[in-house]
Amino acid sequence: MESDPVNVNEFQELARKILPKMNYDFFSRGAEDEYTLRENIQAFQRIMFRPRVLVDVSKIDMSTSLLGFKMTAPIMVAPTGLLQLAHPEGEVAVARAAAACNTLMVLSFSSNCTIEDVASSCDAIRFYQLYIYKQRDVCVKLVKRAERNGFKAIVLTVDTPRLGRREADMKNKFVIPKLSNLEGLLSVEIEPKGGSLEAFASATLSDSLNWKDIEWLRSITNLPILVKGILTAEDARKAVEAGVAGIIVSNHGARQLDYVPASISALEEVVRAVSGAVPIIVDGGFRRGTDIFKALALGANAVMIGRPVIYGLAAKGEYGVRQVIKMLQNELELTMALSGCPSLKDITRSHVQTENDRLRSML
């Protein structure tokens, strides 16, 4: 009998074996040369720990809250689309797993399952990911549906005025299935046999998206708005000025502009620029609890995990997602204990050493 995976990388290998190549490539690959895809993982490997010893770690408290919503640990589920390509239960299974693990889930705009189906499946705390469409009434209708179905915040993705060049999908002739939440809302219909994701994005997403659109979005909803896709201090300051409730440092899983820095490498710049004005979340490349600790030490309030959730879903459905989240929670707890940090507030910048720190020490 095959044993359960003991880490996220083993879940990825299971998913690779189970999924059709087209589906696996869609979830796992990145843009162009995939430099940033590799860097999202490798950047963590250049951050070293500076652990403290002789600290009482008999009790470890990982609990936290975001915008007033409590979580067992600072680990959220990132918005990832088309999850029925990984497992028939798709986003509903992920929502149930998030609820079981007492964490927040962000539902993707390209969810296969409807807003209503996900909302009725469990009592998970849910945020809704929004893109700005050329047809603004589509945005209004989606936001209102999210509000009616108990979603607690809007996550506006801002790094996709156009779709990145995803060459694996191009080679595989990846065909986008119909998106349940958009059926009947868009005048641009996907052909019955499907069309490319690039063509769909070009026809529907607004490439005129700008900072004024955040003001417009605030005018149509009272839900807090977080912006996802910030990588620079300049944009972080503008986001705070625009009145957002939170910032998500993200390079879109390395699926948009290649040769941008790893999210973890951009995190500290954003943290300094924001100076605690709003919570900061980071996603991209998290595969270990040690990675999560490093992000917290560099100033993140929480992290979001995307691909690990997909790999767990593909391998073992809802149970696999729960395993992945619990695995990362347990690894974070162990890292905190071995670093001498009994609670999240004990994790400080002095617990890690970055590559820049080492370079400065040699000057």
Side-chain angles (χ1 to χ4, degrees):
M1 182 176 176
E2 188 175 291
S3 61
D4 278 345
V6 297
N7 59 52
V8 165
N9 291 326
E10 291 184 1
F11 268 109
Q12 180 171 357
E13 183 58 22
L14 276 180
R16 187 187 66 79
K17 292 176 180 177
I18 290 168
L19 293 176
K21 182 180 186 298
M22 178 182 289
N23 295 12
Y24 178 76
D25 284 354
F26 170 71
F27 290 127
S28 67
R29 301 291 295 273
E32 295 191 353
D33 300 326
E34 298 187 333
Y35 169 83
T36 299
L37 184 69
R38 295 186 295 274
E39 186 67 3
N40 269 355
I41 302 289
Q42 294 171 4
F44 284 107
Q45 299 169 5
R46 297 192 294 272
I47 302 173
M48 299 291 108
F49 290 120
R50 302 181 69 249
R52 308 295 190 274
V53 298
L54 296 176
V55 177
D56 181 357
V57 291
S58 56
K59 294 181 180 178
I60 300 292
D61 181 10
M62 298 186 295
S63 63
T64 188
S65 65
L66 183 75
L67 303 183
F69 302 108
K70 294 180 180 179
M71 297 184 285
T72 298
I75 303 170
M76 302 167 57
V77 176
T80 51
L82 306 182
L83 293 187
Q84 284 182 343
L85 296 179
H87 188 276
E89 293 184 348
E91 292 81 9
V92 164
V94 173
R96 288 173 176 160
C101 296
N102 191 29
T103 192
L104 292 168
M105 173 196 183
V106 184
L107 181 66
S108 170
F109 93 102
S110 57
S111 163
N112 287 130
C113 301
T114 66
I115 291 171
E116 292 76 14
D117 285 345
V118 172
S120 63
S121 68
C122 62
D123 61 354
I125 299 168
R126 299 170 303 274
F127 294 174
Y128 184 71
Q129 179 202 31
L130 184 73
Y131 283 65
I132 298 295
Y133 300 95
K134 291 178 179 178
Q135 297 172 240
R136 294 303 176 92
D137 62 313
V138 172
C139 300
V140 175
K141 290 174 182 176
L142 289 172
V143 167
K144 296 307 178 186
R145 283 171 64 188
E147 289 175 344
R148 285 197 304 271
N149 285 278
F151 284 72
K152 304 301 184 183
I154 300 297
V155 173
L156 178 65
T157 293
V158 295
D159 58 4
T160 316
R162 299 186 184 182
L163 201 71
R165 185 177 173 84
R166 304 170 189 179
E167 294 178 358
D169 291 344
M170 295 165 66
K171 288 181 179 178
N172 291 331
K173 294 182 169 56
F174 177 79
V175 171
I176 183 173
K178 286 195 174 182
L179 304 178
S180 299
N181 288 310
L182 299 180
E183 286 187 13
L185 295 183
L186 293 173
S187 60
V188 178
E189 292 293 333
I190 302 173
E191 295 175 7
K193 293 183 179 180
S196 74
L197 187 61
E198 183 180 14
F200 174 79
S202 176
T204 60
L205 300 183
S206 172
D207 56 8
S208 66
L209 177 66
N210 62 74
W211 290 105
K212 292 180 181 178
D213 289 311
I214 295 178
E215 182 180 350
W216 171 78
L217 184 57
R218 291 178 65 196
S219 75
I220 67 168
T221 182
N222 291 320
L223 292 179
I225 298 165
L226 298 89
V227 289
K228 177 178 179 288
I230 300 294
L231 289 172
T232 65
E234 293 89 339
D235 281 345
R237 284 190 285 266
K238 285 184 177 180
V240 172
E241 290 169 3
V244 304
I247 288 172
I248 300 171
V249 178
S250 173
N251 55 36
H252 211 110
R255 293 158 68 83
Q256 280 300 102
L257 179 62
D258 201 12
Y259 295 95
V260 297
S263 298
I264 192 67
S265 300
L267 173 61
E268 199 164 19
E269 174 182 332
V270 173
V271 168
R272 289 191 183 119
V274 170
S275 299
V278 297
I280 294 178
I281 306 160
V282 59
D283 73 2
F286 290 94
R287 299 294 185 271
R288 288 281 188 184
T290 50
D291 299 337
I292 297 167
F293 183 101
K294 291 170 183 178
L296 298 174
L298 292 173
N301 298 96
V303 309
M304 291 202 306
I305 54 172
R307 287 186 175 97
V309 165
I310 298 170
Y311 301 144
L313 179 67
K316 296 176 180 289
E318 178 187 336
Y319 174 67
V321 178
R322 289 170 63 175
Q323 278 187 296
V324 164
I325 296 172
K326 291 290 187 184
M327 185 180 290
L328 293 172
Q329 289 176 344
N330 291 340
E331 288 181 7
L332 174 60
E333 182 179 21
L334 178 60
T335 306
M336 290 172 65
L338 295 178
S339 298
C341 298
S343 71
L344 297 182
K345 67 177 175 18
D346 296 310
I347 303 174
T348 68
R349 179 62 175 81
S350 66
H351 282 92
V352 294
Q353 183 185 56
T354 65
E355 195 170 31
N356 285 339
D357 293 336
R358 289 190 291 277
L359 290 172
R360 281 193 294 267
S361 70
M362 290 187 284
L363 295 177

